[in-house]
Amino acid sequence: MLLNCDLGESFGAWKMGLDEEVMPHINMANIACGFHAGDADVMANTLKLAKQHKVQIGAHPSYPDQQGFGRRSMALNASELTNCLHYQIAALEGMAKVQGLSLSYVKPHGALYNDMMLNEQLLTSVMSAVAHYPSPLKLMILATADAKKHQKMADTLGIKLILEAFADRQYTDEGLLVSRQLAGSVHNEQALIEQVKQLLADGSVTTRSGKKLILNADSLCVHGDNPAGIALIQQIKLLCKR
């Protein structure tokens, strides 16, 4: 299973994450496009790291919410959302081309990612925006119990999906992520490793209620914001190679 990580989220004098330490251990880098984090210098440096380690590049666009780090929902109409996404994707794609690189996919960030998984109309708008972007890009979305339905929606628009699972998050019976406000929603190290092993063994997770849910994810999201996170990514990488 391919490992992906949200990177390039520093801004100006503020450093977020440990991109240099994470990049050698992942397969896919979701790079911030400036609307929730990142800037021109951070984009360029993150792309350089991805090129050095031969990591796939994905655009990580968000609602225009830099103050809230893209974690606040916004009521954009379909046209506004499309333009917002195209603007961000194009910025990262242009920066990538300067270094001889190409974008492979789009993974929405934060509130936009969560909102589209709860709102079919919004998900359709995101899919349509990706479908109408001039470069052929895949869309990364959460692997849920509705994966077949989502795949059919994507097929209608002529785009390919990358289904994503999370190593460190607890799931609902529908395959959605349990709210961070609830106790146990973010796994400790032992529970995280057990969930990864289960995903690798048969493509499933055990939900908060104890139900076994088949996800068949293509990629696993990991986080490397601190040295402990880097060590966990290294463990997960070894599990994926077995």
Side-chain angles (χ1 to χ4, degrees):
M1 189 181 296
L2 299 178
L3 302 184
N4 79 80
C5 188
D6 302 343
L7 299 174
E9 293 183 325
S10 298
F11 179 78
W14 289 269
K15 182 173 174 60
M16 294 280 288
L18 300 173
D19 293 7
E20 294 85 356
E21 289 84 350
V22 172
M23 197 72 80
H25 306 296
I26 61 172
N27 309 103
M28 309 171 79
N30 319 315
I31 301 178
C33 301
F35 272 30
H36 76 280
D39 58 30
D41 290 333
V42 172
M43 282 187 194
N45 291 333
T46 309
L47 288 163
K48 182 178 179 180
L49 277 173
K51 183 175 184 178
Q52 178 184 345
H53 295 284
K54 297 180 173 57
V55 172
Q56 288 187 52
I57 299 163
H60 196 40
S62 74
Y63 288 126
D65 177 32
Q66 195 172 71
Q67 289 86 349
F69 198 67
R71 289 176 175 164
R72 300 180 293 191
S73 297
M74 300 183 72
L76 304 182
N77 63 38
S79 177
E80 290 170 334
L81 180 61
T82 296
N83 292 335
C84 178
L85 291 173
H86 285 174
Y87 184 98
Q88 293 177 80
I89 296 167
L92 186 65
E93 182 180 47
M95 296 291 287
K97 285 183 176 179
V98 170
Q99 297 195 37
L101 301 172
S102 300
L103 292 186
S104 300
Y105 64 96
V106 175
K107 176 188 172 180
H109 165 81
L112 177 56
Y113 184 93
N114 292 330
D115 290 350
M116 75 180 191
M117 298 311 304
L118 293 170
N119 184 323
E120 185 173 319
Q121 184 176 355
L122 182 58
L123 179 58
T124 299
S125 294
V126 173
M127 287 186 175
S128 180
V130 174
H132 288 91
Y133 190 78
S135 300
L137 299 172
K138 297 178 181 179
L139 175 65
M140 185 180 290
I141 69 170
L142 187 65
T144 72
D146 290 326
K148 290 184 179 179
K149 177 183 178 181
H150 296 153
Q151 187 62 64
K152 186 175 181 180
M153 292 167 61
D155 290 343
T156 300
L157 289 165
I159 64 172
K160 294 183 179 180
L161 296 180
I162 301 170
L163 299 180
E164 175 185 39
F166 282 73
D168 63 345
R169 296 294 299 276
Q170 195 175 63
Y171 281 83
T172 70
D173 289 349
E174 296 74 33
L176 299 176
L177 303 180
V178 172
S179 170
R180 287 181 178 270
Q181 298 178 1
L182 298 177
S185 62
V186 179
H187 289 314
N188 60 31
E189 181 176 336
Q190 181 179 351
L192 182 155
I193 293 298
E194 290 303 316
Q195 180 155 289
V196 171
K197 287 180 178 178
Q198 185 175 342
L199 280 163
L200 293 172
D202 61 7
S204 75
V205 295
T206 299
T207 69
R208 189 176 178 88
S209 71
K211 176 182 176 182
K212 184 176 181 179
L213 178 67
I214 300 296
L215 295 180
N216 289 326
D218 305 303
S219 184
L220 184 66
C221 184
V222 294
H223 298 98
D225 298 333
N226 54 64
I230 304 297
L232 275 173
I233 292 173
Q234 292 174 314
Q235 288 186 54
I236 293 169
K237 185 177 182 180
L238 288 174
L239 290 173
C240 291
K241 288 183 175 180
R242 291 183 181 176

